[in-house]
Amino acid sequence: MKQKLFSISVNRSLMIALVAMLAMGACKSKKKVAQPAPPAPVEQVQQPAPPPAPVSSAEEIAVGKLENYFNSVAAAGNASIANQTIQEALAMFSNQETPVLIVIHEENGIKDYDEPTTIKKYLEYLKDTKKNLNYISDIRMDANGKVSELELRRK
């Protein structure tokens, strides 16, 4: 009988040990569930810096000013206002004989120009006709920041 008692107590001890291990294992898993998982390391994605505000080149600034002068000369109420605006516009050019080319046709990259004129003559033309039918398509500047050549196209 002692053997049976011993085998029962061994079986019972093993059973208790197994239950205890399961209980402890279950406790650990409950703790893992109960405790929040440590946050995953967040990779900080650096967004590229926004592009700098567009900086206008000297040519773009000159085009804007010249377009305003051309429109002002064409819309001038009288000759004295037009002449004053013409003098202001001429200050932007290397000289009064700066060439102004007007594109009348372009095909396959080959441009046909109207008869070449000068900026002085073109501004006088705007004053007389009171119409600005062209826009600046190309501008060339010299080393001093003055306009050395102007190419216009029909609007």
Side-chain angles (χ1 to χ4, degrees), residues 67 70-71 102-103 122 125-126 131-137 152-155:
E67 289 287 348
F70 292 167
N71 290 330
I102 302 171
V103 178
Y122 182 72
Y125 168 80
L126 290 176
K131 294 180 184 175
N132 182 14
L133 302 176
N134 301 310
Y135 68 92
I136 299 171
S137 66
L152 305 175
R153 290 181 188 262
R154 282 272 190 220
K155 289 184 180 175

Side-chain angles (χ1 to χ4, degrees), residues 37-43:
V42 178
E43 292 182 30

Side-chain angles (χ1 to χ4, degrees), residues 73 81-90 120 123-124 127:
V73 169
I81 294 173
N83 289 335
Q84 181 181 1
T85 307
I86 288 172
Q87 290 307 311
E88 291 174 18
L90 287 175
K120 177 74 173 167
L123 289 168
E124 293 293 333
K127 180 176 79 171

